[in-house]
Amino acid sequence: MADVPLETETIGGRQCYLYIADGTTTLLIQPVDSHDRSRLDTEVAALRGLTTTPFSLVAIGIDRWRDELTPWSAPSIFKEKPFGDGARATLDYITDTLLPCCNERWGKKKTILGGYSLAGLFALWAGYNTDCFDAIAAASPSVWYPGWMEYADTAAMLCPAVYLSQGYKESHTKNKSIAGVANAIRHQHQLLGTQGIETLLEWNPGNHFAEPDHRTARAFAWCIGRILS
């Protein structure tokens, strides 16, 4: 696929970053903060090296990371302000505003929702709350989030394919809330398999901050392969 320049556009009142390729068969949706935004070029280049399928990416700018991506309020585990409950508003924006706009402009495509860290958790949660995505790409999702495993234990995944990943060293932390993340991601993977969801849990070298752009690219690449196979 030829180089595709990044475009910045306001869609429905939100800043979005677009890589739109000719002949696209797959649309990727990804919430990003400023750090993720700075790595989008690297992520897209890595993904091009992993798939020959033409894809387009629409990244949604997220200003309040601990509020706009979390499904319910929870105390902070980082000695900062508490988590909010803005995930529903973000999902409504994607399903009611962003996707209709994309479908009108470029035609309806196979659609993958994905992200890294809390954005990965948001993608997982979205998969339990709508059937409009063909796959979920949850790279190092924050499944340590308070109340998440209790939620996942009783919820039904509505998306047919879910990718999960984690770094081998992510649980090597003094933060007790995060230290159980390895067991949590294994349990999440088991739950999806039990529900008949096509799923993969991939382990990566390093901690949570190691190569998030490449991990996210691998997540999207697996999902593209599943929905087009």
Side-chain angles (χ1 to χ4, degrees):
M1 182 168 57
D3 288 343
V4 181
L6 169 69
E7 301 174 11
T8 302
E9 183 176 335
T10 300
I11 301 176
R14 283 182 176 263
Q15 189 88 328
C16 295
Y17 309 95
L18 288 66
Y19 291 84
I20 305 300
D22 293 335
T24 289
T25 60
T26 307
L27 177 66
L28 314 179
I29 305 293
Q30 179 183 353
V32 296
D33 65 1
S34 59
H35 296 293
D36 294 326
R37 159 67 187 87
S38 68
R39 294 187 287 254
L40 280 177
D41 286 332
T42 306
E43 178 186 322
V44 170
L47 183 50
R48 287 179 189 154
L50 295 169
T51 181
T52 58
T53 299
F55 65 87
S56 291
L57 169 68
V58 176
I60 307 162
I62 300 294
D63 296 323
R64 293 172 289 111
W65 193 251
R66 291 184 176 88
D67 178 63
E68 295 179 68
L69 298 175
T70 42
W72 50 79
S73 300
S76 174
I77 65 170
F78 303 111
K79 298 183 179 180
E80 297 179 0
K81 65 179 183 180
F83 294 102
D85 59 354
R88 171 54 65 182
T90 302
L91 181 58
D92 287 347
Y93 163 77
I94 293 172
T95 58
D96 299 344
T97 301
L98 182 63
L99 287 181
C101 177
C102 292
N103 293 340
E104 181 179 352
R105 292 172 64 175
W106 304 300
K108 187 172 177 58
K109 311 293 183 185
K110 295 286 188 178
T111 305
I112 301 168
L113 176 66
Y116 195 84
S117 192
L118 274 179
L121 182 79
F122 168 77
L124 270 179
W125 173 83
Y128 286 113
N129 285 270
T130 179
D131 61 359
C132 70
F133 301 111
D134 296 286
I136 296 296
S140 288
S142 303
V143 289
W144 49 259
Y145 192 75
W148 175 257
M149 293 317 305
E150 292 83 356
Y151 173 81
D153 276 337
T154 59
M157 174 57 64
L158 303 178
C159 184
V162 178
Y163 172 97
L164 303 169
S165 71
Q166 192 171 118
Y168 283 113
K169 295 183 179 180
E170 290 196 41
S171 60
H172 298 177
T173 174
K174 294 180 180 179
N175 188 313
K176 293 182 180 180
S177 296
I178 299 178
V181 70
N183 289 333
I185 198 74
R186 291 188 185 98
H187 185 60
Q188 177 73 67
H189 183 242
Q190 182 181 29
L191 286 174
L192 294 171
T194 300
Q195 293 182 8
I197 306 300
E198 186 173 7
T199 183
L200 173 71
L201 171 56
E202 185 171 40
W203 293 90
N204 299 294
N207 61 21
H208 186 68
F209 304 100
E211 298 188 320
D213 42 5
H214 290 277
R215 292 187 190 181
T216 306
R218 287 197 294 273
F220 278 130
W222 183 88
C223 289
I224 290 172
R226 299 287 75 71
I227 65 176
L228 297 179
S229 59

